[in-house]
Each structure stands twice: as C-alpha cells, then as structure tokens.
C-alpha cells in the first residue's frame, strides 16, 4: 500500500504543474461503482467488426488514477496501449481526495490486429547473420552490458521501469549436461550480473520465441536508476543460438 501512495504522490506533484490536470479537491471520496460509472475502457474495431488490439482508457472521476493494462502501469486520467491478441483485465486504481483507495476492473478481449506492434531491436535483426551463442556457464555471453557482456547492450531505464517484455528469437537449442550434475536438457537461469539475485531458474528453452517479462525486482536491481546490476541470462544446461532480442510496442 505504501508503494501505491508514493506513486500517487508523484502523480500529484506532476498534476500541480499541469494546468489541464483535474482538481481532485472535493474533500471526500467516491465508491467503486461511481468510479466505474465515470470511467470507460474501449477497444478499437477491425473492419470485420471484431475487437481490435488497441485499448483506450479514460476516467472523469475526481481522483488520481493509475491504470494497469496487461501488467503495464500508467498514471493519469487517460491511457492507451497496443496489445497482443488475447483476453485481459484492465484495472483502475484511484486515490480519492480524502485518501480512500478504490478500484474498478474492466474485462477486455482483443481479437484482431488493427495496429501492429513495432519491434524495437536490442540485438540483431530479422535477417541477422551473426547470431549470439550462449553456452553453459558463460555468464558474459548472456549479460546485458556494454562493458562486460559479449553480445547484448545495456538496457535503458525506460526498458526496465517501462516493464517491457524481452523477446528472444532462438534459432538453435542444444541439450547438454547440467553444469553441476548429469541431467541433460536446455535450461537457463535469469539473474543479475553480480550473482546477487535469481529471478527464475531451470527455465526450459527451445527453438522459437522466448518471452522474458521485466519484473519490479529485475527493474529495481538492474536499472541504472536502481542498483545498476546487469540483467544476465546464464545457460545451466546446453546452449542456444539467439538471432535477435527485441521488445514490441
């Protein structure tokens, strides 16, 4: 709860400098039903009549608002986001003038791509002919560091604190022994470059697209605006060949 109030406090400071922001000085609070009645969450429509993949959110409620759209947070009375196809729950958390916190939930279904997500490449490209090979026990190979990594660059704070999902295009995967035992497979550990934290272990990998969501813990540990420890993908069994790493938005 402390984290939510700190987030809203930052929003209040921003609103104080923004003449178009809504004044929430109503001295009271609204109910969750009132919040939902004063808020809208819509999806654009495809030519076929199906739901598109762009979610637009707005509220006229006299509150400081925080939207959670598919796990991504946006502070403000208005937000929008391009999505992958699928079903989502859009959540609105509101801080009322008297300090009361209320929430509203909006189920959304994205059925057809109307606005394709753009791929932002961090390593390689769609036609990269110099892929990265991550071998077992080689922490430098999968380290996102301009100074100590072999292939991958530093990630910006916008990527970390924007909670992007990294997509690894794996074009080859070879099984091998566990580096501390005899079990065969192709697995990795998601950690930071200072060996201080493990975020996921024994993650099975195969040819295809592997998605790695940036979590709060990863962002706080690895961003330069956090502790500054590099995100690292350590192969614990086998090896993979990575054609590209990107995120979509």
């Amino acid at each position: 709860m402390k984290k939510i109030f700190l987030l809203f406090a930052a929003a209040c400071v921003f609103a104080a400098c923004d003449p178009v922001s809504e004044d929430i000085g109503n001295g009271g609070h609204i109910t969750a039903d009132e919040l939902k009645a004063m808020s809208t969450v819509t999806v654009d429509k495809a030519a076929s009549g199906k739901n598109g993949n762009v979610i637009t959110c707005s509220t006229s409620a006299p509150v400081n608002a925080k939207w959670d759209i598919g796990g991504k947070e946006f502070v403000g009375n208005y937000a929008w986001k391009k999505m992958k196809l699928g079903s989502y729950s859009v959540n609105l958390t509101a801080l009322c003038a008297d300090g009361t916190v209320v929430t509203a939930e909006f189920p959304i279904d994205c059925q057809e791509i109307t606005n394709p997500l753009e791929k932002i490449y961090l390593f390689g490209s769609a036609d990269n002919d110099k892929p990265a090979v991550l071998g077992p026990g080689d922490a430098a190979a999968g380290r996102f560091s301009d100074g100590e990594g072999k292939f991958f660059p530093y990630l910006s704070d916008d990527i970390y604190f924007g909670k992007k999902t990294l997509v690894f295009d794996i074009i080859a995967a070879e099984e091998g022994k566990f580096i501390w035992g005899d079990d065969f497979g192709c697995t990795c550990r998601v950690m930071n470059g200072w060996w201080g934290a493990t975020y996921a272990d024994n993650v099975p990998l195969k040819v295809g697209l592997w998605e790695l969501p940036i979590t709060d813990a990863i962002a706080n540990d690895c961003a330069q605006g956090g502790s500054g420890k590099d995100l690292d993908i350590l192969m614990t069994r086998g090896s993979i060949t990575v054609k590209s790493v990107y995120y979509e938005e």
Side-chain angles (χ1 to χ4, degrees):
M1 184 63 69
K2 180 179 179 182
K3 183 176 179 182
I4 292 175
F5 279 92
L6 288 174
L7 207 93
F8 279 124
C12 291
V13 171
F14 176 79
C17 302
D18 182 1
V20 302
S21 292
E22 190 167 357
D23 179 10
I24 65 164
N26 62 350
H29 69 272
I30 60 175
T31 66
D33 287 341
E34 290 172 329
L35 176 64
K36 193 159 190 175
M38 289 186 280
S39 306
T40 59
V41 177
T42 60
V43 184
D44 65 325
K45 291 294 183 180
S48 64
K50 293 182 178 180
N51 287 346
N53 70 307
V54 180
I55 296 177
T56 302
C57 310
S58 65
T59 182
S60 61
V63 297
N64 281 320
K66 181 181 73 172
W67 299 92
D68 184 310
I69 310 175
K72 309 296 182 183
E73 294 180 350
F74 303 83
V75 175
N77 285 30
Y78 174 86
W80 78 278
K81 189 176 186 302
K82 292 190 288 186
M83 308 295 292
K84 295 183 178 181
L85 301 185
S87 298
Y88 301 93
S89 177
V90 176
N91 297 293
L92 171 59
T93 303
L95 177 65
C96 301
D98 67 349
T100 304
V101 176
V102 291
T103 61
E105 182 178 349
F106 304 83
I108 287 292
D109 189 25
C110 297
Q111 303 167 324
E112 188 171 322
I113 296 294
T114 50
N115 194 336
L117 279 74
E118 180 184 359
K119 293 180 180 179
I120 312 297
Y121 284 93
L122 304 171
F123 166 78
S125 63
D127 55 359
N128 179 30
D129 60 359
K130 295 181 179 179
V133 177
L134 280 59
D138 186 356
R143 187 169 181 165
F144 285 85
S145 168
D146 293 338
E148 298 179 301
K150 288 185 177 179
F151 304 105
F152 305 147
Y154 283 126
L155 301 181
S156 69
D157 281 10
D158 287 342
I159 293 173
Y160 280 121
F161 291 120
K163 308 296 175 55
K164 307 299 185 185
T165 295
L166 305 185
V167 182
F168 293 72
D169 186 354
I170 301 173
I171 58 175
E174 299 291 336
E175 288 194 355
K177 289 184 178 180
F178 185 52
I179 55 177
W180 294 290
D182 294 327
D183 295 324
F184 280 84
C186 186
T187 60
C188 77
R189 175 178 302 156
V190 181
M191 49 185 260
N192 66 50
W194 296 101
W195 301 81
T198 296
Y199 310 108
D201 206 0
N202 297 318
V203 179
L205 299 177
K206 60 183 180 181
V207 172
L209 300 180
W210 172 50
E211 295 190 352
L212 173 61
I214 299 295
T215 63
D216 284 329
I218 292 175
N220 292 333
D221 286 347
C222 300
Q224 296 302 303
S227 299
K229 301 176 181 179
D230 307 326
L231 178 64
D232 204 344
I233 310 303
L234 175 69
M235 295 301 300
T236 50
R237 294 183 183 88
S239 65
I240 58 172
T241 302
V242 179
K243 186 175 185 178
S244 63
V245 180
Y246 60 88
Y247 63 91
E248 295 177 301
E249 62 178 17

